[in-house]
Amino acid sequence: MFDSLKKKLAGLFKKESKDDENLNVNEKVNENISNKSENQESLFIKRDEFDERVQEILIESDVSFESAERIVEMLKNREKKLSRKISYDDIKSNLRSVLYDVLSQAKSDLDLLNVDKKPYVILFIGINGTGKTTTIGKIASYLKNNNKKVVIAAGDTFRAGAIEQISIIGEKTGTEVIKHDFGSDPASVAYDAIEHARARRIDYVLIDSAGRMQTNKNLLSEMKKIKRVARPDLTLLVLDGMIGNDAIEQAKTFMNEINFDGVVLTKLDTDARGGAVISVAMEIKKPIMFVGVGQGLNDIMRFDPDWYLDKIFSS
């Protein structure tokens, strides 16, 4: 996980040696990665190379240009009093500290297991392919594993396959699914699921929705109707962590059209670059509630900045 970003950060530093100037770029990077742990104390980066190289590494790792610029500026402020050659330990410590400051702002304070409303209604939005329906199954499993009662609303009535998919998720998690016929009004499905939950004292209602493309105004209008009718307590945007800066554009469109309260980032187990988390934290200004870390229904966790940073900075 995040191997690309980890290797690029390791390759940022080089051994102080007379022969070093004769190595080409690839040889330097390979040498630095292999020797990092045993020669860590002798690794450094020249001050005049600092800005460009750190920013380049962040951008190549799917951190947006704007976010990379801001991180470099924050890092420079911490490195002001250092010499023209900055050591590996100093820059690693300061970079981790900067990223922690950024990511801690995106950590949610909401304890989903201890809300003061029943039923607590959660609406899931996002385009097709982000893993939205699977995420609903994971959240249902998370809640049920903590002795909560859950019902799912099959709100994606625009695709018959979506109703079948969420029904299968319901069977796997042992969760009841409220569904109508293909092509029916998704807002009415959400309403019926909420009334069902109220009558039976069910703790949570999870509402699926169609995977709406950002440019489809009709579908976005339908989404607004679902939100008006369901009046969700929490609206979560599901984003694919593998698609980099496209995730930022998706989030901005949804924020302008519908608004949402938090983000779920999926597929982090397959994200070799790892920088999308940083971009989302810096640019979306919404908490990252959960991250998907595998294919199983239990492979979801609350976002933890220390967990993310350990993945990047571990040896």
Side-chain angles (χ1 to χ4, degrees), residues 9 11 23 62 71 92 97 99 117 119 128 149 154 159 163 166 174 184 187 193 211 223 252-253 263 285 288 295:
L9 289 174
L23 296 174
D62 271 351
I71 290 170
K92 180 179 178 181
S97 181
L99 292 178
K117 182 176 177 293
N128 289 330
K149 297 177 182 178
R159 294 185 302 122
I163 299 173
I166 200 68
S184 58
M223 176 60 68
K252 288 179 178 178
T253 300
V263 172
K285 306 299 184 185
I288 301 174
Q295 302 302 310

Side-chain angles (χ1 to χ4, degrees), residues 64-75:
S64 69
F65 181 81
E66 293 79 5
S67 295
E69 276 194 324
R70 287 165 59 193
I71 290 170
V72 168
E73 198 61 35
M74 293 166 71
L75 197 52

Side-chain angles (χ1 to χ4, degrees), residues 259-277:
N259 203 3
F260 53 89
D261 304 302
V263 172
V264 180
L265 273 171
T266 65
K267 307 179 187 178
L268 293 192
D269 56 309
T270 56
D271 181 13
R273 293 188 177 183
V277 175

Side-chain angles (χ1 to χ4, degrees), residues 31-93:
E31 178 186 358
N32 292 331
I33 292 174
S34 62
N35 292 332
K36 184 186 73 170
S37 59
E38 61 187 38
N39 296 299
Q40 194 163 292
E41 70 283 351
S42 63
L43 298 174
F44 74 97
I45 181 173
K46 292 181 179 179
R47 185 64 183 267
D48 59 4
E49 298 176 354
F50 173 80
D51 294 15
E52 182 178 349
R53 295 186 66 193
V54 173
Q55 185 170 326
E56 179 183 327
I57 284 170
L58 291 171
I59 292 172
E60 288 178 355
S61 300
D62 271 351
V63 177
S64 69
F65 181 81
E66 293 79 5
S67 295
E69 276 194 324
R70 287 165 59 193
I71 290 170
V72 168
E73 198 61 35
M74 293 166 71
L75 197 52
K76 282 168 63 178
N77 289 336
R78 290 177 181 263
E79 304 286 358
K80 278 180 180 177
K81 297 179 181 179
L82 297 179
S83 64
R84 68 184 184 88
K85 291 181 180 178
I86 307 171
S87 73
Y88 174 88
D89 286 335
D90 284 334
I91 191 115
K92 180 179 178 181
S93 174

Side-chain angles (χ1 to χ4, degrees), residues 11 14 20-32 53 56:
K14 59 185 178 182
D20 193 62
E21 297 302 322
N22 297 323
L23 296 174
N24 63 40
V25 173
N26 290 331
E27 289 173 331
K28 289 179 183 179
V29 170
N30 291 334
E31 178 186 358
N32 292 331
R53 295 186 66 193
E56 179 183 327

Side-chain angles (χ1 to χ4, degrees), residues 199-229:
R200 291 161 179 77
R201 300 292 295 166
I202 293 173
D203 300 305
Y204 297 86
V205 179
L206 310 183
I207 304 175
D208 192 12
S209 63
R212 299 157 202 280
M213 294 303 294
Q214 307 97 298
T215 55
N216 193 320
K217 296 298 181 182
N218 291 333
L219 291 178
L220 286 168
S221 295
E222 286 292 333
M223 176 60 68
K224 292 176 183 178
K225 181 181 178 182
I226 295 175
K227 196 164 184 179
R228 287 197 308 272
V229 171

Side-chain angles (χ1 to χ4, degrees), residues 92-277:
K92 180 179 178 181
S93 174
N94 283 314
L95 181 56
R96 180 170 181 136
S97 181
V98 164
L99 292 178
Y100 182 82
D101 289 345
V102 167
L103 297 172
S104 62
Q105 298 299 312
K107 184 177 180 180
S108 174
D109 294 327
L110 174 65
D111 182 358
L112 197 58
L113 299 176
N114 292 289
V115 293
D116 57 2
K117 182 176 177 293
K118 182 184 290 190
Y120 191 83
V121 179
I122 307 174
L123 172 63
F124 293 81
I125 62 176
I127 70 169
N128 289 330
T130 60
K132 175 167 53 63
T133 303
T134 303
T135 295
I136 293 173
K138 291 180 178 182
I139 298 293
S141 182
Y142 170 76
L143 294 170
K144 289 175 70 68
N145 287 343
N146 286 278
N147 301 313
K148 304 297 183 181
K149 297 177 182 178
V150 183
V151 66
I152 296 173
D156 184 355
T157 61
F158 292 89
R159 294 185 302 122
I163 299 173
E164 181 181 359
Q165 183 184 7
I166 200 68
S167 298
I168 293 172
I169 289 289
E171 291 176 5
K172 288 182 177 179
T173 59
T175 307
E176 186 176 7
V177 176
I178 304 301
K179 53 190 174 182
H180 292 185
D181 293 335
F182 164 68
S184 58
D185 181 3
S188 69
V189 181
Y191 178 84
D192 286 351
I194 293 168
E195 291 301 304
H196 178 87
R198 284 176 179 155
R200 291 161 179 77
R201 300 292 295 166
I202 293 173
D203 300 305
Y204 297 86
V205 179
L206 310 183
I207 304 175
D208 192 12
S209 63
R212 299 157 202 280
M213 294 303 294
Q214 307 97 298
T215 55
N216 193 320
K217 296 298 181 182
N218 291 333
L219 291 178
L220 286 168
S221 295
E222 286 292 333
M223 176 60 68
K224 292 176 183 178
K225 181 181 178 182
I226 295 175
K227 196 164 184 179
R228 287 197 308 272
V229 171
R231 298 170 67 181
D233 302 290
L234 182 68
T235 301
L236 294 179
L237 175 65
V238 182
L239 294 173
D240 183 340
M242 293 183 64
I243 63 174
N245 291 327
D246 285 345
I248 304 300
E249 295 307 312
Q250 288 178 20
K252 288 179 178 178
T253 300
F254 276 104
M255 191 154 44
N256 291 335
E257 295 288 345
I258 300 168
N259 203 3
F260 53 89
D261 304 302
V263 172
V264 180
L265 273 171
T266 65
K267 307 179 187 178
L268 293 192
D269 56 309
T270 56
D271 181 13
R273 293 188 177 183
V277 175

